[in-house]
Amino acid sequence: MMLYGYAGKILRVNLTEKTHHIEPLPEYMAREYIGGRGFVAKILYDEIEIGIDPLGPKNKLIIAPGPLTGVFLTAGGKTELGTLSPETGGYGDSNIGGHIGPEIKYAGYDMIILEGKAPEKTYLYIEDNKIEFRDASKYWGMECMEAEKALKSDLGEDFQILLIGPAGENMVKFACISHDYGRQAGRTGVGAVMGSKNLKAIAVKGTHSIPLYDKDEVINIGKQMFKACKEKDAEAQWSIYGTIGVTDWCNEVGAFPTKNFYDGWNPNYKNLNGPTAREEIIVRDKGCFCCPIPCGKYSHVKKEGYDVYVEGPEYESNALIGGSCYFDDIKDVAYGNAILDELGMDSISGGNVIAFAMECFERGVITKEDTDGREIKFGDIDSFKYLAEKIAKRDGIGDLLAEGVKRASKILGRGSEDYAIQIKGLEWSGYESRYAPANMLAYMTCDVGAHHNRAWAITYDVATGRDKLEGKADRVIELQHIRPLFDMLGCCRLQWVEISLELDYYPRILKAVTGFDYDMDDLLKLSEKVWNLTRAFWKKHNPDFGRSWDYPPARIMNEPIPSGPAQGKYIPKKDLDWLLDDYYKKRGWTEDGIPTREKLEELGLNFAVKDLYGV
Amino acid sequence: MKITLKALGGMKEFFPDKKEILEVETENGKNISDILKDNGINPDIVMLVMLGGKNVGKDYIPKDNEEVGLLPPLAGG
């Protein structure tokens, strides 16, 4: 049966044998899992064997755009990547913008499955159905921008590239995959998995069209969406700053991670905010495929010691570098961002890990003996650069830090586990949540670890009461269905999230593209299905997975925020337990946080029942 | 005097009755923050106060018949 909105094919690549196989996309995958994150979750669940090494040849890296990817007028530039995470040992995924997803669809694929390990340093060349395993030794060792430039120079500017930097090559566990000179698939160590496969890059060029179910309606609705975005953004002026615009507010409510999440605000936050960035460093906007509200910002930072360009800093880099590593100059933040981008490390985990190291040094858990005689300080860009480079090379103390804060703190001991700010092994992203119960719950239950992308609820907390626990689980569950839906559709969610583009556009445009007659409730049910599938994946691969994996570290559970607008606040464990109890009950999970047999069957996940319950 | 409060971005959800436009009576000399409190809206959930395409902030004292747009914090990428 003809599938509209899809290329209709899966590219399965065996890097070990240097072979590939093109499979038809089964219709049930499109109808039940939609695309993007849905495809990633299903393939990982079905195909990843229990007990494998995430950095070994049996792990797989899945790359999946969605049915709205590559379709004009819908900001359809998003692609999901996923793997068994080397950082967490559980479900890992990461989303990327730019232009790679559309190009993969135009090349004729709805999904690329990378298997095995290449015998030599390799890059994968994809030009429609021409697939080649090419020698990457020329590019190996290059930093990200240089490598992308070299590949495009050699292959042509019309190729879209996914690549890793030195951090990925050395399998730093939070290495990212880079694209379009400054966009990344940042989280969960997807770059490390790519490096473990000896794969430096994937270069894609495509010339096919994507069949549309009702082309006129796609254009009609797409134009409406585009116009609505332009009007709303003109009123809200959101894209002037992009995501960094929330820096002021987060500090003013005590939600800005500061000094390794010791505190909830940076007193110098005005030096790090959107207006300061715009005035001092931003030189132009940068957008993804067909986006009407480009949030990317190219910055030029010049100070004694450096002169660089970087796409950024967006809010997360600002929070984890500016806040957690405790800088007071946006230029240093942007330079730190550039360092991590070039080396190919997630700026959330990277900033978090470096802040952890800074605190360890302050406490004498790491000493000058570990740092080549060098003093390491919060707020010192030379310390930041030194640690980033050591980590990327896995050299000395960098080799330990490259494992991520959970593993590093376990080895370092001396109480450092208390301030290794992570959940399930994934470093906490940019929102201090000790005075935001819904947001705290969102972090605890996020299915990749401590990440905010599934549910962000601080405004809800402030609006409904920051000391209140009731109703928070309901809100988190609602968001955990809506937000990841965009990652299944293959389009950006910021048009809805930031400027409130009406949600009902999405089922309408999906129908015009694919012919699928789903309303929003139908789509949210499919999203709920994937939510339970990824939870089941964790349990399948980690027999002791359960409630205990959802708790934050001791600092977050026990230490009140010391200063600023949220001074004295934290959420004691008994309240975290209340939140979890309420959440699990409403999700239809056991008291240990595992989807019940009934819930799995209700969602059509009968195949997972045997894995979790034996029969 | 009368001013108009317009919900921008996701603000509608936090307006009374989830309205998008709120016309309110107020006194001369009151700032936006206090006007919001008078109308049951927590000023802490307002990030930007837009007037003529510019952020005038919560301390802004509106004039009669002005319309300000209120934007809540960005909900994270």
Side-chain angles (χ1 to χ4, degrees):
Chain A
M1 179 166 171
M2 178 80 181
L3 278 174
Y4 295 95
Y6 295 90
K9 291 182 286 184
I10 299 169
L11 173 62
R12 191 179 288 271
V13 176
N14 185 326
L15 290 160
T16 313
E17 308 293 327
K18 298 196 204 176
T19 57
H20 72 277
H21 185 60
I22 295 173
E23 307 166 1
L25 179 74
E27 189 183 332
Y28 85 87
M29 282 288 277
R31 287 195 179 272
E32 291 177 42
Y33 294 92
I34 304 293
R37 166 181 155 84
F39 287 0
V40 162
K42 182 68 164 81
I43 298 293
L44 288 179
Y45 193 92
D46 285 349
E47 298 191 10
I48 300 296
E49 293 170 33
I50 293 170
I52 62 159
D53 177 6
L55 294 176
K58 288 193 163 186
N59 197 3
K60 305 192 186 196
L61 181 61
I62 319 291
I63 306 170
L68 298 188
T69 310
V71 178
F72 282 80
L73 304 177
T74 56
K78 290 293 218 160
T79 303
E80 194 84 339
L81 288 80
T83 194
L84 174 67
S85 169
E87 236 200 329
T88 68
Y91 176 78
D93 74 18
S94 190
N95 197 270
I96 193 165
H99 305 267
I100 185 67
E103 204 69 32
I104 291 172
K105 295 258 313 254
Y106 302 153
Y109 310 107
D110 299 304
M111 187 171 13
I112 301 172
I113 301 175
L114 298 166
E115 300 173 337
K117 176 180 175 172
E120 304 96 18
K121 298 170 174 41
T122 298
Y123 77 91
L124 188 65
Y125 178 96
I126 300 173
E127 186 179 354
D128 290 338
N129 56 5
K130 181 175 166 190
I131 312 293
E132 291 177 4
F133 300 82
R134 294 190 174 183
D135 178 19
S137 45
K138 173 183 175 184
Y139 311 101
W140 199 272
M142 282 186 185
E143 293 188 345
C144 289
M145 309 308 143
E146 184 194 1
E148 184 161 2
K149 198 166 163 194
L151 279 158
K152 285 195 165 210
S153 171
D154 292 343
L155 301 178
E157 286 295 322
D158 47 0
F159 275 80
Q160 297 297 337
I161 317 281
L162 287 171
L163 69 142
I164 55 173
E169 293 168 7
N170 294 323
M171 295 183 273
V172 172
K173 292 209 171 153
F174 44 92
C176 62
I177 293 175
S178 187
H179 163 63
D180 195 28
Y181 301 112
R183 286 276 162 162
Q184 290 84 17
R187 310 236 64 199
T188 72
V190 290
V193 172
M194 195 159 154
S196 76
K197 296 186 177 307
N198 249 341
L199 190 63
K200 176 69 177 177
I202 304 166
V204 186
K205 180 176 164 185
T207 64
H208 301 308
S209 308
I210 303 165
L212 300 176
Y213 182 74
D214 184 343
K215 188 178 105 179
D216 291 338
E217 188 64 349
V218 171
I219 292 171
N220 175 37
I221 299 172
K223 280 185 178 174
Q224 289 173 29
M225 291 170 80
F226 200 92
K227 183 166 177 278
C229 281
K230 284 295 194 189
E231 285 168 359
K232 286 169 186 287
D233 191 46
E235 273 188 316
Q237 296 284 293
W238 176 79
S239 64
I240 294 251
Y241 303 127
T243 60
I244 203 174
V246 80
T247 301
D248 280 321
W249 186 83
C250 283
N251 277 276
E252 285 155 12
V253 298
F256 196 66
T258 302
K259 282 189 113 183
N260 196 34
F261 288 78
Y262 169 69
D263 211 338
W265 78 307
N266 182 333
N268 297 306
Y269 72 89
K270 292 267 183 219
N271 296 345
L272 305 176
N273 67 10
T276 300
R278 197 89 216 175
E279 196 180 301
E280 293 192 14
I281 64 172
I282 292 173
V283 293
R284 59 165 287 184
D285 296 334
K286 185 182 176 218
C288 297
F289 181 82
C290 289
C291 179
I293 53 166
C295 66
K297 308 288 164 231
Y298 258 137
S299 297
H300 178 210
V301 286
K302 194 172 170 181
K303 205 173 159 179
E304 191 188 322
Y306 58 81
D307 181 351
V308 299
Y309 285 84
V310 62
E311 183 182 346
E314 21 52 270
Y315 175 79
E316 287 298 319
S317 299
N318 205 25
L320 275 305
I321 302 172
S324 208
C325 296
Y326 205 52
F327 285 96
D328 62 5
D329 183 348
I330 190 74
K331 293 193 234 8
D332 286 343
V333 175
Y335 181 45
N337 193 172
I339 291 167
L340 296 177
D341 283 2
E342 286 283 15
L343 293 169
M345 277 188 271
D346 176 24
S347 57
I348 297 176
S349 286
N352 188 309
V353 169
I354 290 171
F356 169 76
M358 288 169 168
E359 181 163 358
C360 283
F361 193 95
E362 213 174 64
R363 291 170 174 269
V365 173
I366 294 173
T367 66
K368 282 185 180 178
E369 268 185 44
D370 303 304
T371 60
D372 301 312
R374 177 189 279 269
E375 178 105 15
I376 301 293
K377 285 184 291 198
F378 276 109
D380 175 40
I381 194 62
D382 292 327
S383 299
F384 187 99
K385 182 166 195 258
Y386 168 82
L387 288 167
E389 287 172 351
K390 289 291 254 189
I391 291 167
K393 286 184 240 174
R394 277 190 171 272
D395 176 27
I397 193 69
D399 191 33
L400 178 66
L401 296 170
E403 293 293 306
V405 296
K406 184 176 178 184
R407 219 169 265 117
S409 64
K410 201 160 171 164
I411 293 165
L412 286 168
R414 297 178 62 189
S416 64
E417 284 176 283
D418 289 357
Y419 49 90
I421 309 300
Q422 50 75 39
I423 300 179
K424 300 180 181 69
L426 186 73
E427 287 79 16
W428 206 287
S429 69
Y431 302 97
E432 165 59 70
S433 300
R434 279 175 283 180
Y435 195 29
N439 219 53
M440 178 69 80
L441 182 62
Y443 271 113
M444 291 168 74
T445 57
C446 172
D447 65 344
V448 289
H451 197 28
H452 66 284
N453 63 343
R454 312 300 196 210
W456 186 93
I458 306 183
T459 306
Y460 183 80
D461 278 318
V462 171
T464 57
R466 298 176 80 168
D467 297 298
K468 199 174 137 191
L469 303 179
E470 293 81 7
K472 301 301 167 84
D474 303 77
R475 176 62 165 188
V476 170
I477 291 169
E478 183 190 13
L479 291 169
Q480 285 173 341
H481 295 163
I482 299 175
R483 288 166 66 115
L485 178 60
F486 290 86
D487 300 335
M488 293 164 69
L489 293 168
C491 64
C492 187
R493 66 171 167 270
L494 295 194
Q495 288 73 25
W496 167 69
V497 165
E498 312 290 13
I499 57 168
S500 225
L501 183 68
E502 289 78 5
L503 271 180
D504 65 14
Y505 277 116
Y506 293 94
R508 286 173 56 210
I509 195 140
L510 182 66
K511 181 169 180 184
V513 169
T514 63
F516 294 169
D517 201 3
Y518 290 137
D519 62 22
M520 201 61 202
D521 286 337
D522 296 326
L523 292 174
L524 293 175
K525 201 74 187 168
L526 294 178
S527 186
E528 185 187 1
K529 180 175 177 174
V530 173
W531 191 266
N532 280 262
L533 184 59
T534 60
R535 189 81 177 178
F537 182 94
W538 278 93
K539 184 65 178 175
K540 182 180 172 186
H541 289 269
N542 298 278
D544 62 344
F545 179 79
R547 185 188 189 102
S548 64
W549 290 54
D550 286 343
Y551 289 106
R555 161 164 293 165
I556 302 296
M557 278 202 289
N558 304 331
E559 292 178 28
I561 297 174
S563 81
Q567 181 179 19
K569 302 296 182 185
Y570 76 110
I571 304 171
K573 187 172 184 289
K574 66 171 179 60
D575 290 345
L576 297 181
D577 279 321
W578 195 97
L579 288 166
L580 281 178
D581 287 338
D582 193 36
Y583 176 88
Y584 293 156
K585 192 166 165 197
K586 285 172 174 157
R587 274 230 169 264
W589 292 358
T590 66
E591 283 174 15
D592 196 33
I594 306 300
T596 59
R597 176 196 296 267
E598 292 72 27
K599 183 46 104 174
L600 293 170
E601 286 168 354
E602 175 206 315
L603 293 169
L605 294 171
N606 307 57
F607 55 86
V609 172
K610 184 155 177 282
D611 294 319
L612 268 50
Y613 293 101
V615 282
Chain B
M1 63 169 213
K2 204 166 70 164
I3 64 156
T4 303
L5 304 172
K6 188 173 178 192
L8 301 178
M11 184 57 88
K12 197 166 94 171
E13 194 186 342
F14 305 111
F15 263 27
D17 300 321
K18 301 200 198 262
K19 282 181 165 171
E20 199 170 327
I21 306 268
L22 207 60
E23 286 178 359
V24 300
E25 296 282 343
T26 187
E27 297 148 23
N28 273 318
K30 258 200 176 173
N31 68 22
I32 292 291
S33 202
D34 289 334
I35 294 171
L36 290 173
K37 284 183 205 161
D38 289 345
N39 286 277
I41 299 167
N42 182 350
D44 284 346
I45 62 162
V46 171
M47 187 175 68
L48 298 179
V49 180
M50 303 302 291
L51 179 68
K54 287 242 146 64
N55 174 30
V56 294
K58 282 180 273 195
D59 291 334
Y60 177 71
I61 296 169
K63 303 179 190 53
D64 195 16
N65 284 318
E66 273 192 330
E67 178 181 298
V68 294
L70 305 175
L71 189 71
L74 310 169

